[in-house]
Amino acid sequence: MIDVARIDYWAASGSGPLHRASVLSKVVFLMLAILSAIVAKSPYPLAAGYVVMILAAVAAGLPWLRMLALSLYAAVFPLLYGISLKGGTAVFAVLLLKALTAALAMLTLIVSTPYPRVFALLSSVLPEVLAAGLFMTYRTFFILLDMMHNFGAAIRLRGGFSPGSLYKNGSNISRGIGMLLVRAVERSSRLYAVMTVRGYNGSMAEPGADRPRREDWLPLALGAAVFALALAWKP
């Protein structure tokens, strides 16, 4: 399972130029990278854009090796889908690199930006209730994933899984899921109480807190370069 705490640590502890750039500029970079993945018809501009983003991550002091490894998770679905296609190696390579390009761009955003800042930007364009709800859903989702991981380990250690016994396995799993849902609601309630104690009053951030910064040129130039490669490189 992906170590979310490690990603949060990278995002909060870094001090490179991408960390110092505003969230809006990095979101624009993400949109340009995704748009380039949509419009590209050849694997070569996508591969070049992928390499450019890796080089930018190296220059900005991001954990580029971990980002490279995590981006490969996105290759699973194109691999499965590409098996059913008859377009040859070129079509398969395009599908694969489209997924990898979008995944690496998303990783660049979340590894260089603490998640409260991302949700603070959302609160400026969405109703506050919706933005706060998305924030709470995000945290509760990963709380539930962590609890499911612990539950799976505990039930295996205690002999809760019996090969060939569907009734016993189904009974134990259903009880465990019920317990997890109750615990997840409890944990999310505690998270909201902690946020309230620390000053949360219905607003994710002060208006205008994420102003344009001098370092914004890097994500904007990076997004423009990736998008220009997709447009200019003809198949």
Side-chain angles (χ1 to χ4, degrees), residues 144 148 151-152 155 160-161 165-183:
L144 186 59
M148 288 179 64
F151 166 71
I155 199 169
F161 287 130
S165 179
L166 295 178
Y167 176 79
K168 182 180 179 180
N169 292 341
S171 176
N172 290 336
I173 291 173
S174 61
R175 292 174 184 174
I177 291 175
M179 180 194 69
L180 288 176
L181 290 176
V182 173
R183 293 291 301 276

Side-chain angles (χ1 to χ4, degrees), residues 119-120 122-124 126-136 200 204:
F119 285 98
L122 288 178
S123 67
S124 64
L126 295 176
E128 188 62 43
V129 173
L130 182 56
L134 290 172
F135 171 77
M136 296 297 295
Y200 176 74
M204 296 296 296

Side-chain angles (χ1 to χ4, degrees), residues 26-198:
K26 286 181 279 190
V27 170
V28 172
F29 150 73
L30 175 63
M31 294 297 102
L32 288 173
I34 292 176
L35 189 59
S36 69
I38 293 173
V39 302
K41 304 299 182 183
S42 168
Y44 302 111
L46 292 170
Y50 190 83
V51 172
V52 168
M53 286 191 286
I54 288 292
L55 293 176
V58 174
L62 299 181
W64 65 275
L65 281 175
R66 297 293 184 88
M67 293 170 60
L68 181 62
L70 288 173
S71 70
L72 295 179
Y73 281 97
V76 174
F77 295 105
L79 284 172
L80 295 176
Y81 179 62
I83 294 174
S84 64
L85 297 179
K86 299 181 180 179
T89 306
V91 174
F92 178 75
V94 169
L95 286 175
L96 182 63
L97 287 168
K98 281 177 182 287
L100 292 179
T101 299
L104 185 60
M106 187 66 196
L107 282 166
T108 303
L109 171 65
I110 64 175
V111 167
S112 63
T113 313
Y115 66 88
R117 291 181 57 194
V118 176
F119 285 98
L121 178 65
L122 288 178
S123 67
S124 64
V125 296
L126 295 176
E128 188 62 43
V129 173
L130 182 56
L134 290 172
F135 171 77
M136 296 297 295
T137 301
Y138 169 84
R139 295 311 298 167
T140 303
F141 174 74
F142 288 111
I143 288 172
L144 186 59
L145 278 182
D146 183 59
M147 293 174 65
M148 288 179 64
H149 177 72
N150 295 336
F151 166 71
I155 199 169
R156 284 193 298 270
L157 291 173
R158 296 180 181 182
F161 287 130
S162 301
S165 179
L166 295 178
Y167 176 79
K168 182 180 179 180
N169 292 341
S171 176
N172 290 336
I173 291 173
S174 61
R175 292 174 184 174
I177 291 175
M179 180 194 69
L180 288 176
L181 290 176
V182 173
R183 293 291 301 276
V185 172
E186 180 185 356
R187 292 280 294 273
S188 62
S189 299
R190 289 183 181 179
L191 174 62
Y192 180 77
V194 170
M195 291 172 58
T196 303
V197 170
R198 294 184 178 182

Side-chain angles (χ1 to χ4, degrees), residues 209-222:
D210 193 59
R211 298 183 178 87
R213 303 178 184 181
R214 182 175 57 184
E215 292 82 2
D216 288 354
W217 70 269
L218 179 56
L220 293 176
L222 180 59

